[in-house]
Amino acid sequence: DAMVIQNPRYQVTQFGKPVTLSCSQTLNHNVMYWYQQKSSQAPKLLFHYYDKDFNNEADTPDNFQSRRPNTSFCFLDIRSPGLGDAAMYLCATSRDLISAGGLTDTQYFGPGTRLTVL
Amino acid sequence: QKEVEQDPGPLSVPEGAIVSLNCTYSNSAFQYFMWYRQYSRKGPELLMYTYSSGNKEDGRFTAQVDKSSKYISLFIRDSQPSDSATYLCAMIKGGGNKLTFGTGTQLKVEL
């Protein structure tokens, strides 16, 4: 039944050691998003893919990269994690950016991956 | 100043109470308004989605939008312990797709 799946649910890495987080979806949605949520803070959009078209937020650090090899999968790569990158990373999907009715399309979130940096 | 302001709580109420959760926003470009529920260590789950000013009801939940005051509310009737979670308001500007979230209000419904 899970529609947006994130693996692993918990990830521990060392300072500076590259890490990859995975997201997959069974909804066949065109858009996939990555958010960062630090403790007691609002989720913050890092970037999104519309199909294969990558869209980076202006304030997303260069340390964060993403890949979307096919419709179903999207990866978040953190090249050199720092202590400040410890957070919950949320993947979300939406069918489209704007629905056929012209309204913005709703986003469905996965359970998140909690990243700890030692 | 943040674009979306939300009281972080925590808010503690007895079972059966009516709960009122609120957000204010500063940018009139926001046109779409959502409420998400987030249980501890889980991803946000969409509860309500509204576009226009006024009320929208779904079961025990009512979402209210007042664009003239830049104020949105979520009411929960007959609150249950299972409603204990963090409630995030979120909004999107017209023509856009980027969700801007509030920081969330932590709600605890006690027996």
Side-chain angles (χ1 to χ4, degrees), chain A residues 36 44-47 56-62 64, chain B residues 98:
Chain A
Q36 179 193 62
K44 177 180 176 298
L45 181 66
L46 296 173
F47 25 59
N56 199 32
E57 291 298 302
D59 56 354
T60 299
D62 293 340
F64 292 88
Chain B
K98 176 181 175 180

Side-chain angles (χ1 to χ4, degrees), chain B residues 19-38:
Chain B
V19 176
S20 173
L21 304 166
N22 311 294
C23 285
T24 58
Y25 60 97
S26 56
N27 194 329
S28 58
F30 287 121
Q31 297 294 317
Y32 309 97
F33 305 93
M34 294 90 172
W35 285 95
Y36 283 83
R37 177 175 62 196
Q38 186 173 24

Side-chain angles (χ1 to χ4, degrees), chain B residues 3-15:
Chain B
E3 285 192 293
V4 181
E5 298 279 358
Q6 185 175 10
D7 187 334
L11 177 63
S12 186
V13 301
E15 184 179 9

Side-chain angles (χ1 to χ4, degrees), chain A residues 100-118:
Chain A
L103 299 178
T104 192
D105 218 347
T106 54
Q107 296 182 23
Y108 298 89
F109 284 82
T113 294
R114 183 167 295 278
L115 177 68
T116 300
V117 182
L118 300 177

Side-chain angles (χ1 to χ4, degrees), chain B residues 83-99:
Chain B
D83 295 327
S84 298
T86 296
Y87 290 80
L88 296 148
C89 66
M91 44 197 82
I92 299 180
K93 295 173 184 172
N97 62 287
K98 176 181 175 180
L99 276 169

Side-chain angles (χ1 to χ4, degrees), chain B:
Chain B
Q1 184 189 3
K2 294 178 184 175
E3 285 192 293
V4 181
E5 298 279 358
Q6 185 175 10
D7 187 334
L11 177 63
S12 186
V13 301
E15 184 179 9
I18 296 174
V19 176
S20 173
L21 304 166
N22 311 294
C23 285
T24 58
Y25 60 97
S26 56
N27 194 329
S28 58
F30 287 121
Q31 297 294 317
Y32 309 97
F33 305 93
M34 294 90 172
W35 285 95
Y36 283 83
R37 177 175 62 196
Q38 186 173 24
Y39 291 112
S40 181
R41 301 183 182 277
K42 298 287 179 65
E45 170 195 9
L46 181 66
L47 280 177
M48 302 283 285
Y49 171 13
T50 58
Y51 172 65
S52 56
S53 283
N55 293 351
K56 182 177 181 180
E57 191 173 316
D58 184 0
R60 295 186 295 112
F61 299 91
T62 299
Q64 190 175 78
V65 174
D66 182 348
K67 288 187 176 180
S68 63
S69 300
K70 298 188 182 68
Y71 188 88
I72 68 171
S73 299
L74 178 70
F75 298 97
I76 307 174
R77 290 185 299 282
D78 188 25
S79 56
Q80 304 294 310
S82 58
D83 295 327
S84 298
T86 296
Y87 290 80
L88 296 148
C89 66
M91 44 197 82
I92 299 180
K93 295 173 184 172
N97 62 287
K98 176 181 175 180
L99 276 169
T100 299
F101 283 90
T103 53
T105 299
Q106 187 181 356
L107 171 67
K108 185 173 183 180
V109 180
E110 297 177 323
L111 292 168

Side-chain angles (χ1 to χ4, degrees), chain A residues 45-66:
Chain A
L45 181 66
L46 296 173
F47 25 59
H48 76 270
Y49 272 96
Y50 179 77
D51 195 14
K52 292 186 184 299
D53 184 22
F54 178 70
N55 296 273
N56 199 32
E57 291 298 302
D59 56 354
T60 299
D62 293 340
N63 199 24
F64 292 88
Q65 304 286 322
S66 185

